[in-house]
Amino acid sequence: MRRLALATTIVLALGAFTALPRAQASVARPVADSVAAATGSGLEAVGAPGEDVGGIVDAGAVSVLSSASGWQLFSQNSAAGATAERNDHFGAALAQADFNNDGFTDLAISAPGEDVGAVVDAGAVNVLYGSANGVTGSGSQTFTQNSPGVASSAERGDLFGYALAAADFDNDGYADLAIGVRRESGSRVESGAVNVLHGSAAGLTGSGSQLFTQNNIGTGNRAQPAELFGSALAAGDFDTDGFADLAVGVPHHDDFGVSNAGAVYVIRGSASGLTGIGGQLFTEDSPGVPGTTEVGDAFGSALATGDFGNDGFADLAVGVPAEDVMAARNAGAAYVLHGSAAGLTGTGSRVYTQNSTNWGDKAERGDLFGFSVAAVNMFDVGDELVVGSPGEDVGSAENAGMVHLGGWAIDENTQDMDGTSESGDHFGASVAELPSHPAYLIIGIPGEDHEAGAVMYINGSLDDGDQLPPEGHLWSQKTPNMPDAAEPGDFFGSTLAF
């Protein structure tokens, strides 16, 4: 597998990342240590799926910060039953939750390039459990589709773990884990699937696990070849019934003959967990959704949940990075679909592009606006939509990248931000929120410094102006107290879990 294939698949498919890094940007004083102290049992995790472990190329690693133990570095050699191997891409997806309800945050880490026996690229998920001393390899677990109780079986190229989402789908007090199997071949070749493992007092278990495809989620649709169901996942309670629901991105879904237009399915939560009853399907042609399906849009490539309407219902942000905006091919778009008592709905939904009023830039060819999305309460007034466009050119710096928060367009050249926008940085390839009051915006820059990668922390600011304007601090594996060294091709910052 190619080094970038798991961290930035959509970008590679579009041929937009040119991987032409320039001179190293400065690395300023990190704010992460002081932030972690305020987050209790929470964790900050940053994936470097291209990290070499010893002499093992692209085995992958994850850096984890907790208030209890400071920085730690994990590879598959840290997890029980796992071994770091070439092209495993450990850290390609991350999710954190309390799977055993012991009060400590646990961390699920995927290695979708893992070979299971002789089965190449079948994929695996490792789970590190939290403790008073932070996450630890002690008592860790490794799951594949060959693990006892896990539905289906490991097959060549499945990429089990391509996407992860954690939530309590059955409201029993234990978080569960949804695992995207992007290239699962069930009734159709590479149609995709989602495995669900349930939490328990002993942690995640394969017992009673579930397997969902387009054939069994209650929409009446059938799986089609190469639609890649499970490429993106996000969990939220869209109808506030107390059970988390799961949104599933299907970026290569064909909509009435329109190839690779993309779709999002919603699987409902219930007392028995996720259920095939009452599933929903959304495309750009769904009632109330302001758009039109077009060839290659890849609707559903990125997903995030947040309460954008501040009404108590979880809403869904949908990234459409290959959307054409007027004549600008692959400029990108982002949608917000709202929750309601009846579940997610297209009614009142909105679509944003860089040409939208007060979005701080203009749509251009290859921007990939919508490659990443997040909900961030950065000004302590409620969730706002954050959209990454890692293909954005900044001046003469090609694919330097940009992030949009309402009318604020941010790049490394923005005032009070550390660093310099350089070709191939891909600023905004990942975005996340670090909750606090106000929250921090976290931005992944996996192409920084010859693809060694970096992350930017941007502090929030109270809306009444009682704080200084937001500042961005660049942080990489070169930063003091980091447990590893920055190396070309690590792609540190490709994935985030805060």
Side-chain angles (χ1 to χ4, degrees), residues 260-300:
N260 299 337
V264 173
Y265 286 83
V266 177
I267 310 173
R268 299 292 187 96
S270 73
S272 57
L274 291 175
T275 174
I277 299 173
Q280 297 176 285
L281 169 65
F282 294 92
T283 72
E284 289 180 279
D285 283 339
S286 294
V289 177
T292 302
T293 56
E294 298 165 320
V295 173
D297 278 351
F299 181 87

Side-chain angles (χ1 to χ4, degrees), residues 54 74-75 122 176 197 247 291 374 396:
F74 294 94
S75 71
D176 312 307
L197 308 182
S396 61

